[in-house]
Amino acid sequence: MEVRTHYNDGEADFMRSVFRNNSKDLIQQELMSFYVEKYGKVSSLAPPTIEDDTLKNEFLMLERYHLDSIWSPSVEKSNTMNLSIFPTGLISNLSMPTQLKRLTPYAISFPFVRKEHIKVKLAEAIRVQPENVTINSDYFYYDFNSKYNAADKIIDLDYYYKHQDDHVPVSGFDIYYNDMVKLDQNLGYLIYTSNGSGISTSTYNIGYTIGTVLGVGIIIGIPIAVIAVIIILVLRYQKRKKAKPSS
């Protein structure tokens, strides 16, 4: 797995402070802990590297990891293995309201924009239907697109999210909450394989876990995925006995 995260403006300044005030070993340790919690057994292929453009006030961090196993047995279908993919950087910055009856406005961060691109490299060609989900709320805008390059056997998942105001008024809270539920129901992307049926894909409900899939950050305070590109190499589960998958 390769992760490239771009930080701009104030968040770029913050990342310079993180690397200036913390050792490289501590930063690598915290990043590793972050991915181990989410993916299980993970090993680093190289220390995180950075590119810092102070003139443009842009900061890039590159990470490379090997994921031992990203497949898990399906709880709904026998003889089926699932690979669940989430826009982890986006999810870690969102939260589902817990108080549904409100007497005061609901504050949200503004301005707030997150872009995330996930590139999934498959070991074999499959049939994938392109998908698009757009939610244009008065309070946030969300757009998801998936496409498949059959020649390169790559699935591209593009996520874009931004807040359109700094608060939700009491009169609009029910609409906002229902839109957030719709968002939650379309964030997950599932790749699954069954004996004899090959590999298939679909979007799915992540189970009202916005804000809890990854928590809210890393101990030393690294902001997650201002603009992130994640590249995952996926081998079919049945082939693992012959060749251990790498990511």
Side-chain angles (χ1 to χ4, degrees):
M1 179 176 73
E2 182 174 295
V3 183
R4 299 173 185 162
T5 310
H6 300 255
Y7 302 91
N8 300 289
D9 302 326
E11 288 176 316
D13 293 331
F14 182 80
M15 287 301 296
R16 293 185 190 101
S17 175
V18 168
F19 275 83
R20 183 171 59 250
N21 297 320
N22 297 275
S23 69
K24 292 183 179 180
D25 288 343
L26 176 59
I27 293 173
Q28 183 173 10
Q29 178 184 337
E30 292 300 323
L31 290 169
M32 276 287 295
S33 298
F34 178 78
Y35 292 112
V36 166
E37 181 181 351
K38 307 311 164 190
Y39 296 109
K41 189 175 180 181
V42 177
S43 57
S44 176
L45 296 178
T49 59
I50 63 172
E51 295 179 11
D52 189 5
D53 188 334
T54 56
L55 293 179
K56 295 182 179 179
N57 204 8
E58 296 177 349
F59 189 97
L60 168 66
M61 181 169 64
L62 174 63
E63 307 161 69
R64 297 182 66 240
Y65 303 96
H66 173 85
L67 308 182
D68 183 67
S69 178
I70 51 180
W71 295 96
S72 60
S74 171
V75 296
E76 299 177 350
K77 299 179 181 180
S78 59
N79 300 318
T80 299
M81 300 298 294
N82 293 340
L83 167 57
S84 300
I85 298 174
F86 306 106
T88 53
L90 171 58
I91 293 171
S92 67
N93 285 279
L94 300 179
S95 61
M96 182 69 76
T98 56
Q99 182 182 348
L100 303 186
K101 298 294 183 181
R102 301 196 62 87
L103 300 177
T104 58
Y106 182 74
I108 53 179
S109 300
F110 184 84
F112 178 85
V113 177
R114 286 295 182 270
K115 300 177 183 178
E116 193 156 346
H117 177 73
I118 301 175
K119 185 182 293 288
V120 183
K121 173 66 175 176
L122 301 171
E124 58 187 80
I126 62 174
R127 292 184 178 180
V128 179
Q129 292 295 326
E131 299 182 63
N132 172 254
V133 177
T134 299
I135 304 173
N136 192 6
S137 162
D138 288 341
Y139 312 107
F140 71 87
Y141 177 84
Y142 171 76
D143 187 69
F144 165 76
N145 285 281
S146 71
K147 59 183 180 180
Y148 178 58
N149 184 322
D152 295 332
K153 295 176 286 190
I154 291 176
I155 301 174
D156 286 293
L157 309 176
D158 282 291
Y159 299 84
Y160 178 84
Y161 178 95
K162 72 173 181 177
H163 285 156
Q164 311 212 83
D165 207 334
D166 62 359
H167 73 283
V168 180
V170 173
S171 60
F173 184 78
D174 287 346
I175 294 174
Y176 170 76
Y177 180 80
N178 290 333
D179 286 338
M180 287 294 290
V181 170
K182 182 179 178 181
L183 171 65
D184 182 67
Q185 292 172 340
N186 288 279
L187 278 173
Y189 191 83
L190 184 68
I191 299 176
Y192 57 95
T193 178
S194 302
N195 290 340
S197 63
I199 296 178
S200 303
T201 66
S202 68
T203 55
Y204 74 105
N205 186 348
I206 68 174
Y208 306 105
T209 52
I210 289 177
T212 63
V213 173
L214 291 185
V216 294
I218 301 178
I219 293 174
I220 57 178
I222 296 177
I224 305 301
V226 179
I227 302 176
V229 179
I230 302 174
I231 303 174
I232 303 174
L233 173 61
V234 177
L235 300 185
R236 188 171 173 179
Y237 177 78
Q238 288 90 335
K239 294 185 176 180
R240 292 188 68 230
K241 292 182 179 180
K242 296 180 181 179
K244 191 174 182 179
S246 60
S247 303

